[in-house]
Structures are given as C-alpha cells and as structure tokens.
Amino acid sequence: MTIYDELTARGLIAQVTDEEAVKELVNNGKATFYIGFDPTADSLHVGHFMALCLMKRLQMAGNKPIALVGGGTGMIGDPTGRTDLRKMMTTETIDYNCECFKKQMSRFIEFGEGKARMVNNADWLRDLNYIEFIRDIGSMFKVNNMLRAECYKQRLASEDGLSFLEFNYMLMQSYDFLKLYEEYGCNLEFGGDDQWSNMLGGRELIRKKLGKEDAHAMTITLLLNSEGKKMGKTGNGAVWLDPNKTSPFEFYQYWRNVDDKDVLNCIRMLTFLPIEEINAMNSWEGSQLNEAKDILAYELTALVHGAEEAGKAKEASLALFGGGSNNENMPKTELEDGDFKEDGSIDLMGILVKAGLATSRSDARRAIEQGGVTVNDEKISDIYKTYTKEFIGNTEVIIRKGKKSFKKIILK
C-alpha cells in the first residue's frame, strides 16, 4: 500500500488540487510540504494532533515537512470558524509561544539537516512594506472571489461582521506558500478542509506570480469529537499537549471517553496501528468498544507523553473506573495549611475549587446541589459539608464531579 493509499484508507484526505500529481509527490518522497500553526497559546492542543500525525506519516515515507509557525499571521488571527475577533497578542507573547511549539513537535517529526525544518513567517511578514505588498500581492486577488470563501462566510454573517484586519489573512497565508516555494522548494500545502480557500489562494498566487504549475494543495478531514465540535477547542475546555496544562492521565481520559461511534475513526486517523488490524475492529461492539477506547487512549498518550506515562495513565484509569486498586498515578491536589480554617477544617466547596473541579464556590455549590459530587463513592448533597485536616491526612480521599472529573486529595 502506498502512503497516499494509506492516507485514503484512513479517511484523512478530503480534497486535492491534482490527485495524480500529489500521488506522484508523496508516494516517491518528493513532497516538501508545509502545515501552518498559529501560536495562539504556549502549547499545542489536540486540534493540532491530526496535522502532527500526518506530518509524521509523510516524513516516514521520505517526504520533508516544514512546520510553519505563524509569528506574523498570529498578529492577525485566522477568522476561520470564528464568530468574533481573536484577542490581540503582543509580539513578546507570540514569540514565546512559537518557542514552545518546537519541543512538542519534536515528539512527532524529526528536525535537522535534510529532515524537517521549522520556519517562522514573522521573518517575512512583520517587516513588509504595506504599499508594496498590496501592489504586488493584493492586485492578484479578486474581492468577489474572496467573499465567497468558506473561511469568511461565518464572520460575514455574524453580528460583529468581518474586520478588514482579518480580511487580510488569506493574502498572508497565500504569501506564505509563495515564500516557502521560493526559498525551500515547498511544493505542497496541507491543512484542514476549512482552509481550502486560503490554500487555493496560495497555489494561484504561485501560478500567477511565478508562472509555475507544480505547487499543490491537499486538505485533511477535520476530526470532530462526539459533540460535533472540532478537537482542541481553545479556552478552559482545551486539551493540551503540554503535560503541565493537561496531565498524561487527563489526556488519556480524553481519548478513553470518546463516543462509541467515534472511536474507530479516531484509531484509524490518529494511531499508527496497521490498517489491517484496525479494519478487523469494524465488527466490534459492546464491551469490545471499551477495549478499542483503551487502545486508542494508550497509543495516543504514548505518542505524546511516552510509553511510561501512558502505562501509568492506563493503571490509574483502571483503578478509578475498572475496579483496580493502584491509585498512585491518579491526578492529585495538595492541600496546604493555608487552605484550612482556624479550626482545622475545609468545606467541600473549597476543595472542589482548589482541585480545579469547579471554577468558583458558586459553581461548586451548584454541582453539589445537583447531586454531581461524590467523595469516596458517597454522593454528597450537603453544601456545608466539611473535612478535617486529620481526616484528609489519614484517609485516601477521592473526590469526583460528574462521571469523568476527579482528583485524589492529599496533604502537602
């Protein structure tokens, strides 16, 4: 099976500009391809996961990846899929976020001479002469065509509308492809299928500006979670690749809790298990789907955090949800002396907030009143419930909010 056939079999390819030409490139290791990553945070999240796995697959087949970090485009922000303007970041924040990305990417792709490279579009975007850019690049784009692009439609229909700042994003991304083509021989751009208009813009710019026809674009299917939202939504609900933001156990549980109907698609798209082995799971149902979820969670946690951490996360998951007894690797929250009142007690609402299981005391109160909080498998409905320092010090206290969020509470 060729690498292109494998990508197709895994359900990754959504659309390409010239399928035969792209096949020739990737199957023969002739693709120098790029995927862009805007540094909107100091960590990559699971929304980037599919792109990173794709880069790894293609590099294993002999192709050369370019990870383009958006030190320039990040100053504008991609309007795709958004109903509001992104929060503006300082250049210092953007540069710091860019630095954080390479370490995480190195888990997936191999950087070095003749291998993958990381490039920052700040190198050519931040010092652009705007008048020259608009004359040279902007003259090649038709506004009528741009307004039909999917990446702008949602913003145009929103209450706030589309800012002129964001309207420039397509030109910037297209210019990226041109610069990478000129400087590194980049002949293929990958992205999510919601980026198709921007990617076509880059290909057309190379054709018009340089008279070249050998640059191509290929999109990957955007993987959705069971709620129909893109993986890795930003904000408090994001699942990060940085273990200091999302622990290996929490990362494991994210994948362990995917919906039954999504699990095989996730295994097919994201793991490196042989496609024949995955296809054999198509008939799995019932308890076998739980086994599939364990496979998915372990494989992806090992890929991001290493086999040792994946093993610990699996043990902790079994201890909490599968009747196991090893609680050592459960996520923990340490209570300090200052967390207790003068009488040596702390109320349940305070523990929930301290453990990050509630955003505020009022949020904690609602969770308790609605019957969603248990302590050591006992449902607690008393919002004034308190625990002493002695009790917590001498008892293994496991507090759970809902079915999936929990912490082991210990004394520091």
Side-chain angles (χ1 to χ4, degrees):
M1 181 181 291
T2 66
I3 182 61
Y4 191 90
D5 288 340
E6 182 177 353
L7 296 179
T8 302
R10 290 180 181 275
L12 288 168
I13 299 176
Q15 50 196 340
V16 299
T17 52
D18 186 332
E19 187 172 49
E20 292 306 313
V22 172
K23 281 182 180 180
E24 167 68 17
L25 289 174
V26 300
N27 287 342
N28 295 288
K30 296 179 181 180
T32 297
F33 67 96
Y34 96 90
I35 298 180
F37 300 83
D38 272 350
T40 53
D42 60 0
S43 172
L44 298 166
H45 54 66
V46 296
H48 300 114
F49 200 74
M50 183 180 289
L52 292 168
C53 290
L54 180 65
M55 296 178 88
K56 180 178 177 70
R57 291 185 205 281
L58 288 166
Q59 186 175 44
M60 291 169 64
N63 299 286
K64 295 180 180 179
I66 298 176
L68 181 69
V69 292
T73 45
M75 299 184 73
I76 295 178
D78 185 357
T80 303
R82 294 185 63 88
T83 58
D84 58 351
L85 184 69
R86 290 185 183 274
K87 182 181 178 181
M88 294 294 169
M89 298 183 293
T90 66
T91 55
E92 291 78 13
T93 298
I94 292 171
D95 290 343
Y96 173 76
N97 292 348
C98 288
E99 287 296 317
C100 293
F101 278 15
K102 186 170 184 178
K103 182 178 180 182
Q104 293 178 347
M105 288 181 178
S106 296
R107 276 277 188 187
F108 298 84
I109 53 180
E110 187 177 358
F111 292 97
E113 187 68 28
K115 299 175 183 176
R117 68 171 73 236
M118 177 175 282
V119 180
N120 191 331
N121 63 18
D123 294 344
W124 55 80
L125 291 180
R126 287 190 187 175
D127 295 328
L128 277 178
N129 181 300
Y130 187 69
I131 296 297
E132 291 180 2
F133 179 75
I134 291 300
R135 280 172 59 91
D136 189 32
I137 303 301
S139 62
M140 297 187 179
F141 288 79
K142 302 298 183 184
V143 171
N144 289 356
N145 292 334
M146 293 176 69
L147 291 176
R148 287 194 289 268
E150 288 297 328
C151 60
Y152 291 144
K153 282 184 178 179
Q154 186 171 355
R155 291 305 306 278
L156 287 168
S158 68
E159 184 177 345
D160 292 337
L162 177 72
S163 72
F164 183 72
L165 174 71
E166 296 167 296
F167 192 57
N168 282 269
Y169 193 90
M170 181 184 290
L171 274 67
M172 299 293 188
Q173 182 171 334
S174 299
Y175 188 60
D176 285 344
F177 199 178
L178 174 65
K179 293 293 289 186
L180 293 173
Y181 181 93
E182 291 180 316
E183 296 188 20
Y184 304 107
C186 180
N187 51 23
L188 184 60
E189 178 183 2
F190 281 90
D193 57 10
D194 61 348
Q195 292 287 317
W196 186 238
S197 297
N198 290 342
M199 295 164 67
L200 288 180
R203 179 174 184 264
E204 286 300 298
L205 181 59
I206 292 170
R207 185 180 65 82
K208 293 177 181 178
K209 180 76 174 169
L210 304 179
K212 302 290 186 179
E213 300 288 346
D214 59 339
H216 301 283
M218 184 164 86
T219 67
I220 57 175
T221 303
L222 285 171
L223 188 61
L224 304 178
N225 62 22
S226 58
E227 297 175 341
K229 300 176 182 177
K230 293 178 191 176
M231 294 190 306
K233 60 181 180 178
T234 54
N236 293 332
V239 177
W240 306 99
L241 305 192
D242 183 347
N244 294 317
K245 289 178 174 288
T246 299
S247 71
F249 177 82
E250 291 167 327
F251 189 83
Y252 184 97
Q253 286 302 125
Y254 175 83
W255 298 107
R256 180 60 181 77
N257 291 322
V258 299
D259 194 87
D260 286 357
K261 68 180 185 302
D262 296 332
V263 60
L264 291 183
N265 280 338
C266 288
I267 291 176
R268 189 171 286 110
M269 290 180 171
L270 298 176
T271 75
F272 287 80
L273 296 175
I275 193 68
E276 297 81 8
E277 182 178 334
I278 299 170
N279 288 340
M281 301 179 188
N282 286 336
S283 61
W284 287 15
E285 56 186 21
S287 61
Q288 288 180 306
L289 289 178
N290 287 329
E291 182 182 346
K293 292 178 185 181
D294 281 324
I295 292 172
L296 172 68
Y298 178 84
E299 291 292 327
L300 299 191
T301 306
L303 187 60
V304 175
H305 298 293
E308 182 178 353
E309 291 298 329
K312 291 178 181 178
K314 185 175 182 178
E315 285 184 10
S317 180
L318 178 62
L320 190 68
F321 300 109
S325 58
N326 185 1
N327 295 328
E328 181 61 30
N329 296 309
M330 284 186 183
K332 303 175 180 65
T333 290
E334 295 181 336
L335 298 182
E336 305 177 66
D337 289 344
D339 295 318
F340 293 88
K341 298 177 182 178
E342 291 184 2
D343 65 358
S345 69
I346 182 172
D347 63 13
L348 181 56
M349 288 188 290
I351 297 177
L352 286 167
V353 173
K354 175 76 174 184
L357 298 175
T359 57
S360 63
R361 289 183 64 85
S362 59
D363 181 37
R365 178 174 184 149
R366 283 192 296 272
I368 296 170
E369 289 177 335
Q370 292 169 4
V373 176
T374 63
V375 176
N376 293 347
D377 294 328
E378 177 187 356
K379 183 179 291 186
I380 306 298
S381 57
D382 180 5
I383 61 172
Y384 301 108
K385 179 70 174 178
T386 62
Y387 298 89
T388 65
K389 184 187 299 184
E390 181 181 10
F391 175 80
I392 293 174
N394 295 327
T395 308
E396 185 175 74
V397 178
I398 298 174
I399 186 169
R400 189 184 311 197
K401 178 187 175 186
K403 295 181 178 179
K404 302 175 182 178
S405 301
F406 68 92
K407 285 288 182 70
K408 183 177 179 180
I409 309 300
I410 61 175
L411 292 181
K412 187 171 182 179

